[in-house]
Amino acid sequence: MEELKIFIVEDDPFFGETLKYHLKLNPDFNVLLFGSGKECLNNLHQKPAIICLDFGLPDISGDVLLKRIKEINNTIPVIIISGQEDIEVAVDFLKSGATDYIVKNNHTKDLLWNSILKIKENRSLVQEVEILKEKLEQKFSFEKTIIGQSSTIKNVFSKINKALNNNINVSITGETGTGKEVVANAIHYNSDRKNKPFIAVNMAAIPRELVESEFFGHEKGAFTGANEKKIGKFEQADGGTIFLDEIAELDLNLQSKLLRVLQEREVVRLGGTAKIKFNARLIVATHKDLAQEVKKGNFREDLYYRIIGLPIELPPLRERENDTLLLAKHFIELFVKENKMPAITLSNEAKDKLLKYAFPGNIRELKSVIDLACVMCDGNEISDDDLSFTSINSTDWLLSQEKTLKQYIEEIILYFLKKNNNDVLKTAKKLDIGKSTIYNLLQTKELKK
């Protein structure tokens, strides 16, 4: 336990020693006794956690000494111990910054003990909050959260940096699984709004009939089932950031209401009349091309220009060079740590297989693949056989790669060969090609089984 240094400032030696003895019954309390106000001031460099101060000191009056202490260090809790039971005196001390006021009587020791324990508890909570804040800042430091060294991801870092020192709206685009919410978190928790709420809303997950209630809140009795008042997401985000994920899924009728809210910076709860101001930064995200959605008539043009702000496009994993391996290493380390497993590495064959695959599910798919590989591998190394791509039958990943037709043909043949346990006749029949074509490719080593 942390040692708590306590000053007792008391000119009555017997009473002072009594308090000191009583408090030292707690082994976590380091108690120092001073007989004058001057001694107390001369020892403030020892950084006491709490000062117990007698009101009637001979050299410096309690109110003056309290003021001096607060001028030197305003964070030290000061407990006044006085023979005066005058309520006005107590109130004056509390207004001047005293943490507590205790009257000298038969209960003083117990009251002081309880007061110190309460201060100690509050001190621990404050320290815990500071630690959590520090951890939170580290957690969302985008250089640590967004793993990668490719030129495309460095461009994303540059855009994030531009968003940190202002309140411009941010629109994040990218394929599913590229980490749009991670970027939104990074912007919020590295900005001056980091100590305020970050409210994330997935537009695709909210039933259409509940969107207005979720966004703007409602008053009790606003509709059937509204049994109590509800604060909407925009109110909750006041002072912080509201993140609207999959914004393109918002119904056209509701888009006009959202536009008005963003223009006026105020909401009216359903069933209410009061206009409630809010101050929240807006970050939106979508995997769709919003400009194309505008052209198709699915998204309002005026809302588009209201929310577009600073656009950040997240590259798909297949365009991030060797970031795939950096992310794979990161996910392996996370998995073995969470599951208390020994260290695991990737074989060279596994690395090659990861780099050749296009990951249509992007980072989210990579994590899933790596988690499974950590479970399936024997020993402390992941082999290429341990890597299982569940989306292998999808043409999306295949066509997303820039290859020649010859390379595509070779990969297709190789895939079906493996699927058919290297049965050339069965593969040739399946693909409606001559078996000699496959044999020739194998003999020239253009296909590697």
Side-chain angles (χ1 to χ4, degrees):
M1 295 291 290
E2 180 189 7
E3 182 182 80
L4 203 68
K5 185 175 289 184
I6 302 171
F7 282 10
I8 296 177
V9 189
E10 173 61 58
D11 66 322
D12 182 339
F14 176 77
F15 188 71
E17 288 292 347
T18 300
L19 293 180
K20 180 179 178 180
Y21 172 80
H22 184 67
L23 293 180
K24 282 181 71 68
L25 292 174
N26 188 324
D28 299 327
F29 292 172
N30 177 16
V31 186
L32 302 177
L33 178 61
F34 301 102
S36 68
K38 187 176 180 181
E39 280 186 82
C40 173
L41 293 174
N42 290 338
N43 283 277
L44 285 181
H45 64 277
Q46 295 191 47
K47 298 181 179 179
I50 300 171
I51 297 176
C52 305
L53 180 62
D54 181 21
F55 172 75
L57 294 170
D59 58 338
I60 306 175
S61 65
D63 54 346
V64 174
L65 184 55
L66 174 63
K67 184 178 179 181
R68 292 263 201 93
I69 292 169
K70 290 296 180 180
E71 286 173 351
I72 296 170
N73 189 338
N74 190 45
T75 64
I76 302 174
V78 178
I79 301 172
I80 303 297
I81 302 175
S82 172
Q84 295 197 38
E85 298 185 21
D86 190 335
I87 296 298
E88 290 186 8
V89 172
V91 170
D92 287 341
F93 269 108
L94 294 172
K95 285 182 177 179
S96 299
T99 303
D100 203 354
Y101 186 94
I102 298 174
V103 177
K104 287 184 178 180
N105 55 34
N106 294 333
H107 304 294
T108 301
K109 297 193 301 294
D110 294 331
L111 291 172
L112 180 61
W113 181 275
N114 291 333
S115 183
I116 289 174
L117 287 180
K118 186 175 180 180
I119 292 171
K120 183 173 182 289
E121 183 181 351
N122 289 337
R123 176 186 169 93
S124 297
L125 288 172
V126 169
Q127 290 174 341
E128 185 178 345
V129 168
E130 291 302 318
I131 291 171
L132 289 173
K133 282 183 179 179
E134 185 177 343
K135 286 183 178 179
L136 193 63
E137 289 176 11
Q138 291 175 356
K139 179 180 178 182
F140 289 108
S141 172
F142 63 85
E143 291 90 348
K144 296 179 180 178
T145 307
I146 307 172
I147 310 296
Q149 296 177 0
S150 63
S151 56
T152 51
I153 208 65
K154 284 180 180 178
N155 182 51
V156 172
F157 289 162
S158 175
K159 293 284 185 68
I160 293 174
N161 268 316
K162 292 181 185 299
L164 298 183
N165 299 319
N166 54 74
N167 290 311
I168 190 172
N169 293 339
V170 177
S171 55
I172 307 169
T173 55
E175 294 177 8
T176 299
T178 49
K180 294 185 284 295
E181 186 165 354
V182 173
V183 171
N185 271 287
I187 292 172
H188 173 77
Y189 286 105
N190 287 278
S191 73
D192 57 5
R193 293 176 177 264
K194 61 187 176 184
N195 294 323
K196 297 294 183 178
F198 175 84
I199 304 298
V201 185
N202 187 336
M203 303 306 304
I206 304 175
R208 179 179 173 182
E209 62 273 12
L210 296 179
V211 172
E212 283 190 77
S213 174
E214 287 293 318
F215 267 11
F216 316 131
H218 62 250
E219 299 291 351
K220 182 178 180 180
F223 51 83
T224 302
N227 299 321
E228 57 184 20
K229 180 177 72 175
K230 178 177 181 178
I231 304 299
K233 300 297 185 184
F234 279 94
E235 280 187 78
Q236 293 176 34
D238 187 38
T241 301
I242 184 164
F243 172 55
L244 304 183
D245 196 9
E246 298 300 345
I247 185 68
E249 305 304 317
L250 185 61
D251 183 81
L252 269 172
N253 293 328
L254 291 170
Q255 288 178 26
S256 61
K257 294 183 179 181
L258 176 59
L259 177 63
R260 187 195 64 78
V261 166
L262 295 177
Q263 288 174 334
E264 304 299 327
R265 289 284 165 174
E266 62 184 24
V267 296
V268 177
R269 297 188 194 124
L270 292 179
T273 56
K275 295 179 179 179
I276 303 163
K277 293 286 185 181
F278 70 90
N279 172 20
R281 180 182 202 163
L282 177 68
I283 301 179
V284 302
T286 178
H287 71 280
K288 295 182 178 180
D289 185 333
L290 274 184
Q292 287 299 318
E293 292 300 303
V294 171
K295 289 180 181 179
K296 293 175 184 177
N298 297 329
F299 203 83
R300 290 179 62 106
E301 185 176 4
D302 45 7
L303 180 59
Y304 170 79
Y305 288 115
R306 171 66 61 175
I307 67 175
I308 196 68
L310 172 64
I312 299 178
E313 183 176 358
L314 299 187
L317 191 54
R318 61 184 175 274
E319 295 178 7
R320 289 181 54 178
E321 303 160 13
N322 286 329
D323 284 356
T324 299
L325 298 183
L326 293 176
L327 284 160
K329 181 175 181 292
H330 172 69
F331 291 141
I332 290 171
E333 290 172 353
L334 280 180
F335 190 87
V336 298
K337 182 179 179 181
E338 290 172 358
N339 292 278
K340 298 179 181 179
M341 298 168 62
I344 295 175
T345 58
L346 282 166
S347 69
N348 289 332
E349 293 78 14
K351 291 178 181 178
D352 289 340
K353 188 172 182 179
L354 287 173
L355 290 174
K356 287 178 180 177
Y357 182 61
F359 287 99
N362 292 293
I363 300 170
R364 190 178 295 127
E365 183 184 2
L366 173 62
K367 185 179 187 307
S368 176
V369 167
I370 292 299
D371 286 353
L372 178 59
C374 288
V375 174
M376 298 302 295
C377 74
D378 295 321
N380 60 354
E381 186 178 71
I382 294 173
S383 70
D384 56 339
D385 290 334
D386 297 322
L387 297 171
S388 176
F389 303 132
T390 56
S391 57
I392 197 74
N393 290 319
S394 170
T395 58
D396 293 341
W397 70 271
L398 182 68
L399 299 177
S400 65
Q401 302 176 83
E402 294 182 3
K403 295 184 179 182
T404 65
L405 179 59
K406 184 172 181 292
Q407 287 174 320
Y408 277 123
I409 292 171
E410 289 170 359
E411 288 203 7
I412 292 169
I413 294 173
L414 184 59
Y415 166 70
F416 279 98
L417 268 176
K418 286 184 177 180
K419 187 176 181 181
N420 295 320
N421 296 318
N422 295 319
D423 186 325
V424 173
L425 294 176
K426 189 175 180 180
T427 301
K429 184 177 181 181
K430 180 71 176 177
L431 295 177
D432 194 22
I433 60 175
K435 60 181 183 294
S436 58
T437 302
I438 300 176
Y439 281 126
N440 289 335
L441 289 171
L442 289 172
Q443 287 174 355
T444 58
K445 296 184 179 180
E446 292 180 61
L447 282 183
K448 295 180 181 179
K449 292 196 290 183

